[in-house]
């Protein structure tokens, strides 16, 4: 049996997500001789990729702060030019990510051609010329997309003025670039976890059974997952007050719980199956809570300091930034959903199967309840606030829209969990 056939035989079920990822993760492998032996991801290669992944993680943190600062800057101050302080922070992180990706691709390609620790076992071809880890390729393309979105977004603002919605066309383009970069970081850390586990006797078997220890690589993988979860939450924000209702024909559906069902289950299910350690989703939610504390401490101070330095007033006193407890309470609710995800993962593993779609379906209910509660609290607060006329607020969803959202949320959550199960099959096997 060929190597590819053996790899396909290890998959527990047919899943289109796996088939797509296998274009990257199961390209036919051939032995590459290095000093008389088969090339493997040795200590030097592992150390190099570990250092690169740590730098990417640090730049993700910088970009996350820049994005949170920029969103609040748009809301509280507006936008008078492109080179605002939050834009400088955000696009500096993007530029360094792109330059780092280019440098690593060139370095890994040179090592591949010299058979020096890089082979088709731990890298993928790019344009049939270069070789690099999947994660670095995604980080590089993500930085490119975000960089291309920057001048287009600036032109959009010059044409149409200030907008405070994240769902503007070139904001979404920049968000797509961030999504690719975050996905690349997950690939990077997942491959490091696989490589480290395969170094230990029987470690890979313990990963499959869910008894793996929380190594340094796994902790960093949890942080990487956290950045993706944070981005999914940020992307769904406009559905809270700007676009609360989705019309499916003549049927109104509350949009926010549906978007949470799109973004959360696949990450929590994939984390539970990829880490090989218990409590993965809960750890991610806890790290997200810590991140939110840092954001709430930094962003109001940064907006006040930046506005004072540039002599810019706030659009209205009601939009002056301050430490907000609301997101922390929301993250507490998300932690409850993560615990549900971990419990369902444990029960599924004890039963001998993973059932990702069913676990996603189970996760859909707490996400629905959390979304409805949060939106009710936000609308109650907005009714008491004095906001400017141009601030984008729509009519709250009706009771019919809320109830119609429940079956849609559950169905979308099941599909999202199924996709997460497919991705985890690649992340827990590929050292690329």
């Amino acid at each position: 049996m060929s190597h590819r056939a053996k790899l396909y035989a290890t998959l527990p079920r047919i899943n289109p997500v796996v088939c797509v990822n296998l274009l990257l993760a199961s390209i036919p492998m051939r032995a590459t001789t290095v000093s008389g032996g088969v090339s493997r991801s040795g200590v030097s290669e592992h150390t190099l990729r570990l250092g690169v992944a740590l730098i990417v993680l640090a730049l993700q943190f910088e970009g996350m702060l820049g994005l949170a600062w920029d969103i609040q800057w748009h809301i509280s101050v507006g936008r008078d030019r492109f080179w605002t302080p939050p834009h400088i922070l955000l696009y500096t992180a993007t530029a360094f990510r792109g330059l780092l990706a280019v440098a690593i691709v060139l370095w890994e390609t040179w090592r591949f051609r010299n058979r020096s620790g890089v082979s088709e076992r731990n890298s993928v071809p790019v344009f049939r010329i270069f070789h690099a880890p999947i994660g670095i390729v995604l980080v590089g393309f993500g930085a490119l997309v975000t960089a291309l979105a920057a001048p287009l977004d600036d032109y959009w603002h010059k044409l149409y003025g200030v907008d405070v919605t994240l769902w503007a066309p070139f904001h979404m383009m920049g968000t797509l670039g961030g999504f690719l970069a975050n996905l690349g970081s997950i690939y990077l850390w997942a491959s490091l976890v696989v490589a480290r586990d395969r170094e230990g006797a029987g470690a890979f078997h313990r990963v499959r059974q869910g008894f793996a220890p929380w190594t340094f690589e796994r902790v960093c993988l949890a942080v990487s997952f956290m950045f993706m979860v944070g981005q999914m939450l940020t992307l769904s924000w406009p559905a809270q007050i700007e676009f609360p209702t989705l019309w499916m024909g003549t049927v109104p559906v509350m949009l926010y719980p549906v978007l949470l069902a799109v973004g959360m289950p696949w990450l929590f299910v994939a984390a539970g199956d990829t880490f090989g350690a218990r409590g993965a989703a809960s750890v991610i939610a806890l790290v997200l809570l810590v991140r939110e504390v840092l954001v709430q401490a930094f962003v109001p101070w940064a907006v006040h300091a930046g506005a004072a330095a540039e002599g810019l007033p706030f659009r209205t006193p009601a939009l002056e930034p301050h430490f907000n407890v609301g997101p922390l309470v929301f993250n507490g609710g998300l932690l409850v959903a993560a615990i549900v995800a971990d419990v369902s993962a444990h029960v599924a593993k004890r039963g001998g199967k993973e059932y990702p779609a069913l676990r996603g379906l189970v996760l859909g209910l707490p996400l629905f309840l959390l979304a409805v509660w949060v939106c009710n609290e936000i609308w109650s607060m907005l009714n008491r606030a004095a906001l400017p006329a141009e601030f984008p607020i729509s009519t709250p969803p009706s009771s019919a829209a809320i109830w119609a959202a429940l079956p849609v949320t559950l169905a979308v959550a099941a599909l999202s969990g199924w996709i997460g199960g497919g991705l985890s099959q690649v992340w827990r096997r590929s050292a690329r």
Side-chain angles (χ1 to χ4, degrees):
M1 184 182 292
S2 67
H3 188 89
R4 178 186 289 183
K6 290 179 180 178
L7 183 59
Y8 273 89
T10 62
L11 299 179
R13 63 187 183 279
I14 298 174
N15 190 319
V17 177
V18 178
C19 296
V20 171
N21 277 272
L22 283 172
L23 293 175
L24 297 174
S26 66
I27 299 171
M29 303 175 185
R30 66 174 182 269
T32 305
T33 303
V34 180
S35 302
V38 175
S39 174
R40 304 178 105 178
S41 183
V43 174
S44 59
E45 182 64 19
H46 187 89
T47 301
L48 171 65
R49 296 190 181 189
L50 185 64
V52 170
L54 285 171
I55 295 173
V56 169
L57 213 58
L59 292 174
Q60 283 180 280
F61 182 77
E62 179 186 347
M64 177 272 297
L65 287 179
L67 178 61
W69 187 6
D70 186 48
I71 291 173
Q72 190 62 52
W73 184 274
H74 274 256
I75 293 173
S76 299
V77 178
R79 184 182 187 278
D80 60 336
R81 56 193 174 85
F82 178 77
W83 290 114
T84 58
H87 273 193
I88 293 174
L89 186 64
L90 176 61
Y91 288 110
T92 297
T94 300
F96 278 113
R97 276 203 306 263
L99 293 173
L100 176 67
V102 170
I104 296 303
V105 167
L106 294 176
W107 176 249
E108 293 284 277
T109 300
W110 181 85
R111 286 167 62 84
F112 175 81
R113 294 183 183 279
N114 287 273
R115 299 183 177 183
S116 179
V118 180
S119 71
E120 290 186 354
R121 296 180 182 272
N122 57 16
S123 66
V124 294
V126 184
F127 302 130
R128 298 185 179 182
I129 300 174
F130 307 102
H131 266 264
I134 299 173
I136 283 295
V137 175
L138 290 172
V139 167
F141 277 113
L144 177 62
V145 171
T146 302
L148 291 176
L152 296 174
D153 181 54
D154 186 50
Y155 184 62
W156 175 271
H157 283 289
K158 289 178 180 177
L159 288 177
Y160 301 107
V162 175
D163 61 74
V164 295
T165 178
L166 178 63
W167 290 355
F170 300 111
H171 287 173
M172 293 300 292
M173 182 177 174
T175 301
L176 173 61
F179 176 85
L180 291 175
N182 288 335
L183 189 63
S185 179
I186 292 176
Y187 267 97
L188 268 176
W189 285 107
S191 67
L192 287 168
V193 168
V194 171
R196 178 67 71 193
D197 287 338
R198 288 177 178 173
E199 290 178 1
F204 192 62
H205 176 71
R206 291 198 300 275
V207 171
R208 292 290 304 228
Q209 298 302 318
F211 298 110
W214 276 96
T215 59
F216 176 76
E217 288 85 356
R218 278 186 173 78
V219 172
C220 291
L221 179 58
V223 176
S224 187
F225 264 92
M226 178 274 295
F227 283 122
M228 182 65 88
V229 171
Q231 185 180 33
M232 293 294 99
L233 293 176
T234 301
L235 189 58
S236 65
W237 281 349
Q240 293 178 350
I241 59 175
E242 298 173 55
F243 310 100
T245 303
L246 170 68
W247 287 90
M248 301 181 66
T250 59
V251 179
V253 177
M254 185 180 182
L255 184 56
Y256 188 55
V258 176
L259 292 185
L260 286 187
V262 170
M264 296 297 103
W266 73 274
L267 287 166
F268 285 159
V269 169
D273 293 344
T274 302
F275 281 64
R278 292 191 179 97
S282 299
V283 171
I284 292 170
L286 284 172
V287 176
L288 184 70
L289 182 59
V290 173
R291 186 211 75 156
E292 190 60 41
V293 172
L294 295 175
V295 168
Q296 290 300 323
F298 169 77
V299 170
W301 169 83
V303 173
H304 278 92
E310 300 198 10
L312 297 174
F314 293 117
R315 299 170 71 187
T316 176
L319 296 177
E320 184 174 348
H322 59 277
F323 189 98
N324 191 354
V325 180
L328 303 183
V329 177
F330 172 84
N331 282 346
L334 194 64
L335 176 59
V336 174
I339 293 172
V340 171
D342 285 330
V343 171
S344 64
H346 179 68
V347 171
K349 286 188 177 182
R350 289 193 65 178
K353 293 187 179 181
E354 294 169 353
Y355 301 110
L358 181 59
R359 287 155 56 194
L361 178 67
V362 171
L363 188 55
L365 182 58
L367 290 175
F368 171 80
L369 296 174
L370 177 62
V372 172
W373 175 77
V374 166
C375 287
N376 284 337
E377 291 297 315
I378 290 175
W379 283 103
S380 176
M381 178 191 68
L382 291 176
N383 288 334
R384 302 189 300 267
L387 298 176
E390 70 272 15
F391 196 77
I393 300 178
S394 300
T395 304
S398 63
S399 298
I402 294 174
W403 284 111
L406 178 58
V408 178
T409 299
L410 295 177
V412 170
L415 177 61
S416 179
W418 178 71
I419 292 173
L423 284 169
S424 71
Q425 293 184 49
V426 174
W427 287 335
R428 70 189 181 199
R429 287 177 171 84
S430 174
R432 296 181 165 193

